[in-house]
């Protein structure tokens, strides 16, 4: 069975995404998880149902092999967008670098 990590799990929608060792993303519903609820960063073994289209790949069995710590930073994190001043500074730096290259 291939090994991967849970990228994100939506408890409100009862599905999640996991990333395999090869970098592919696979969707899995909550009812295929064997060892309790899944969380972001958990290491899992999974089986995949192959479809005609690669986007139709779904996990049929997900077994949690190693739980991530509770204060796990892996998964979706929301950061503040840059302020207008920061964006202007970045734009100014890009223009200056472009002028130096000419």
């Amino acid at each position: 069975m291939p090994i991967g990590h849970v990228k994100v799990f939506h408890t409100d929608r009862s599905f999640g995404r996991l990333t395999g060792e090869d970098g592919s993303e696979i969707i899995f519903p909550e009812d295929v998880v064997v060892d309790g609820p899944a969380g972001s960063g958990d290491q899992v073994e999974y089986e995949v149902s192959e479809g005609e289209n690669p986007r139709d790949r779904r996990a049929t069995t997900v077994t949690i092999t190693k739980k991530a710590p509770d204060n796990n930073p892996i998964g979706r994190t929301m950061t503040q967008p840059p302020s207008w001043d920061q964006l202007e500074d970045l734009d100014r730096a890009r223009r200056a670098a472009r002028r130096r290259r000419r």
Side-chain angles (χ1 to χ4, degrees):
M1 286 176 41
I3 296 174
H5 287 87
V6 176
K7 182 175 181 179
V8 66
F9 185 76
H10 302 283
T11 54
D12 55 334
R13 296 193 241 162
S14 301
F15 84 94
R17 292 182 183 272
L18 62 91
T19 305
E21 289 178 325
D22 59 352
S24 62
E25 283 194 13
I26 300 158
I27 295 174
F28 67 95
E30 183 178 28
D31 58 345
V32 300
V33 179
V34 176
D35 295 333
S40 296
D42 291 348
Q43 183 178 353
V44 295
E45 289 183 347
Y46 60 94
E47 292 180 11
V48 179
S49 68
E50 297 292 333
E52 292 178 18
N53 188 349
R55 297 181 78 186
D56 293 338
R57 296 177 64 191
R58 304 230 186 278
T60 56
T61 305
V62 176
T63 307
I64 298 173
T65 56
K66 185 177 175 186
K67 290 292 278 181
D70 290 336
N71 57 356
N72 184 25
I74 298 174
R76 274 198 194 157
T77 57
M78 300 297 288
T79 59
Q80 291 287 72
S83 68
W84 287 109
D85 294 334
Q86 291 171 331
L87 290 173
E88 287 176 359
D89 290 342
L90 287 171
D91 192 41
R92 221 176 277 122
R94 277 190 227 121
R95 288 181 192 171
R98 195 177 317 143
R99 273 181 277 187
R100 282 191 297 259
R101 283 182 284 196
R102 289 184 190 176

